[in-house]
Amino acid sequence: MSFFSQKVNNLKPYIPGEQPKNKGYIKLNTNENPYPPSRKVIKAIKNMDLKKLRLYPDPESEQLREVYAKYLGLNLENIFVGNGSDEVLSIAFQTFFADKIDILIPDITYSFYNVYCDLYNIKQKEIPLRQDYTINIEDYNIKNNGIVIANPNALTGIYLSKKDIEKLIKKNPKSIVLIDEAYIAFGGESVSSLVKKYNNLIVIQTLSKANSLAGLRVGFAIGNKDLISGMNKVKNSINSYPIDRISQMSAKESIKDKKYFDKIINKICKTRIETINNLKKLGFNCLDSKANFIFVMHNKYKAEDIFLFLRKNKILVRYFKKPRLENGLRITIGKPNDMKKLIKVLEKYINEREQKK
Ligand SMILES: *Cc1c(COP(=O)(O)O)cnc(C)c1O
């Protein structure tokens, strides 16, 4: 017997990457930014009038949305904010896709999408990536009630151009096209400005990755006024005060300090190129990434075996035991020194195997 509802009994929740309790690990497994948040964020939190925590926060997060709207060149009414983009995605799926069929999602992508589909009674249709892990937008020209794409794609890091995404939006005027841009700042071009032109586009962004604020939990949806008002209807049916005072206040400081996050993004992109070059020398194939992670496969050795060896050597990366992914590892780009250690341990792994022969 179970006290749970049927729906809960059948749920298969998302499993996030490990957050180890013990220290001493190099964490290259959850795509966190290795650099600290802007000093302006830290200063603002330190100077905050904490007595005000007695009061509820602004239910509309108006100042924060204003700052983000300005940053994107849009209006307040185009911006929705939630507790991390996971919550924003959850509300978007409820608002636009609940109880619908034929929602098109790539077969390899952020695995949270399938969890929301189960939770909100959505029947998704998985569209396979090409053999080379790219998305073929022509495959989405079929009957559908919505399209969800992470750009750059989760797990692969592969990016679709703004032109390609615009084609998709134009071809599907009766469907919501949801573009999850969690990693867009690491080399891609956002489609957020297109919300002025199309009423069927929803763009999801987050401060967790580029702005180095995964611990703050702030994410956004960007869309035309009507779409955002639908999301607010759902939000206000669940929690009218989702963003706490500390987050509302400090997120603003991060967004305004573009100079700082551009700087850390540049460093990460540079380290990404160096890491790919070094991995290639060791016999790895790397997918072409425009994110703060890379997906790599060795031409000789099993990914699971390498994953366990790295773990034993205190380096955490992500391994997925799933078709088409089980030959690869997803590695977050850390600081140059972290990546040097990674390469050292991989060299050790390969040397040990070669000697056994
Ligand atoms: C990390 C990630 C998110 C979630 O980020 P939040 O921390 O909840 O803002 C959303 N989508 C993708 C594709 C991600 O990789």
Side-chain angles (χ1 to χ4, degrees):
M1 200 208 75
S2 165
F3 287 115
F4 300 156
S5 67
Q6 188 73 41
K7 185 160 144 182
V8 171
N9 272 327
N10 294 335
L11 279 185
K12 287 193 205 76
Y14 176 76
I15 304 167
E18 186 179 351
Q19 296 291 353
K21 301 274 184 303
N22 302 328
K23 286 191 180 152
Y25 281 96
I26 296 179
K27 273 196 87 257
L28 306 178
N29 66 332
T30 51
N31 298 344
E32 287 146 327
N33 194 313
Y35 299 102
S38 158
R39 260 189 281 170
K40 292 186 177 155
V41 171
I42 294 167
K43 202 171 139 204
I45 294 176
K46 280 190 176 152
N47 291 340
M48 203 188 154
D49 180 5
L50 293 173
K51 289 195 203 89
K52 286 227 177 105
L53 288 179
R54 176 177 78 74
L55 302 167
Y56 279 111
D58 171 10
E60 314 294 339
S61 301
E62 207 167 294
Q63 287 184 10
L64 170 56
R65 285 164 54 228
E66 195 79 69
V67 168
Y68 208 59
K70 196 169 161 211
Y71 165 72
L72 295 175
L74 296 168
N75 298 319
L76 183 66
E77 63 204 30
N78 299 120
I79 310 291
F80 177 93
V81 55
N83 263 299
S85 54
D86 284 341
E87 184 181 83
V88 178
L89 283 164
S90 154
I91 289 174
F93 272 65
Q94 281 187 79
T95 308
F96 305 116
F97 305 140
D99 303 316
K100 291 187 181 173
I101 61 167
D102 295 329
I103 305 300
L104 309 185
I105 302 181
D107 64 339
I108 293 174
T109 187
Y110 191 36
S111 56
F112 226 138
Y113 305 150
N114 282 333
V115 177
Y116 299 133
C117 287
D118 287 349
L119 188 59
Y120 303 127
N121 187 34
I122 299 161
K123 289 226 165 42
Q124 71 276 44
K125 190 169 194 170
E126 293 192 356
I127 308 294
L129 299 185
R130 290 195 188 99
Q131 205 53 42
D132 64 359
Y133 295 86
T134 56
I135 290 174
N136 179 4
I137 56 159
E138 307 296 326
D139 293 344
Y140 293 76
N141 292 334
I142 55 173
K143 185 173 72 90
N144 71 75
N145 293 309
I147 297 175
V148 177
I149 285 180
N151 191 39
N153 199 7
L155 301 173
T156 67
I158 296 172
Y159 162 74
L160 282 174
S161 70
K162 186 172 175 181
K163 220 166 115 197
D164 274 344
I165 302 279
E166 186 165 9
K167 265 191 222 160
L168 203 62
I169 301 165
K170 267 191 187 158
K171 277 251 163 106
N172 294 279
K174 295 224 166 77
S175 299
I176 289 288
V177 176
L178 184 153
I179 306 295
D180 181 353
E181 294 189 332
Y183 301 104
I184 198 69
F186 299 97
E189 187 187 0
S190 171
V191 295
S192 62
S193 64
L194 296 181
V195 305
K196 287 189 266 191
K197 203 165 151 194
Y198 300 100
N199 66 358
N200 62 328
L201 169 65
I202 275 283
V203 180
I204 311 285
Q205 296 185 345
T206 176
L207 300 185
S208 294
K209 314 277 163 58
N211 296 58
S212 206
L213 285 172
L216 201 65
R217 312 306 300 130
V218 176
F220 299 95
I222 302 140
N224 92 349
K225 193 177 162 190
D226 283 349
L227 300 186
I228 297 301
S229 75
M231 289 184 69
N232 275 319
K233 225 167 142 181
V234 174
K235 170 223 153 205
N236 289 321
S237 306
I238 301 172
N239 182 357
S240 32
Y241 304 104
I243 317 298
D244 65 76
R245 281 177 171 269
I246 300 173
S247 300
Q248 287 194 34
M249 187 265 314
S250 49
K252 284 187 297 191
E253 299 303 314
S254 176
I255 297 156
K256 286 191 269 185
D257 198 358
K258 183 166 167 15
K259 204 169 124 199
Y260 174 73
F261 66 78
D262 277 351
K263 191 173 95 186
I264 58 178
I265 288 166
N266 278 336
K267 281 203 231 180
I268 291 168
C269 292
K270 204 169 140 232
T271 311
R272 179 176 72 204
I273 296 171
E274 285 161 8
T275 306
I276 290 176
N277 286 338
N278 289 329
L279 287 169
K280 280 184 178 162
K281 285 182 212 152
L282 296 178
F284 284 92
N285 297 310
C286 305
L287 299 184
D288 182 21
S289 170
K290 288 265 189 291
N292 67 340
F293 62 85
I294 48 179
F295 190 79
V296 306
M297 291 162 267
H298 199 272
N299 57 25
K300 231 156 111 192
Y301 299 114
K302 280 204 176 118
E304 188 172 16
D305 205 36
I306 302 172
F307 164 74
L308 292 171
F309 188 87
L310 287 172
R311 202 170 190 291
K312 232 178 11 193
N313 286 277
K314 296 272 183 179
I315 298 179
L316 296 179
V317 299
R318 201 87 196 265
Y319 170 69
F320 300 89
K321 208 170 190 146
K322 287 182 187 166
R324 294 187 72 192
L325 295 174
E326 62 199 354
N327 295 325
L329 298 171
R330 193 198 66 190
I331 304 174
T332 305
I333 303 298
K335 287 186 179 170
N337 253 342
D338 300 334
M339 304 323 274
K340 269 188 204 132
K341 281 182 201 151
L342 169 81
I343 297 294
K344 274 243 162 68
V345 174
L346 289 172
E347 275 168 357
K348 191 170 134 201
Y349 172 86
I350 291 168
N351 285 338
E352 282 180 17
R353 301 298 119 153
E354 302 284 314
Q355 270 159 26
K356 272 187 194 156
K357 280 181 194 157

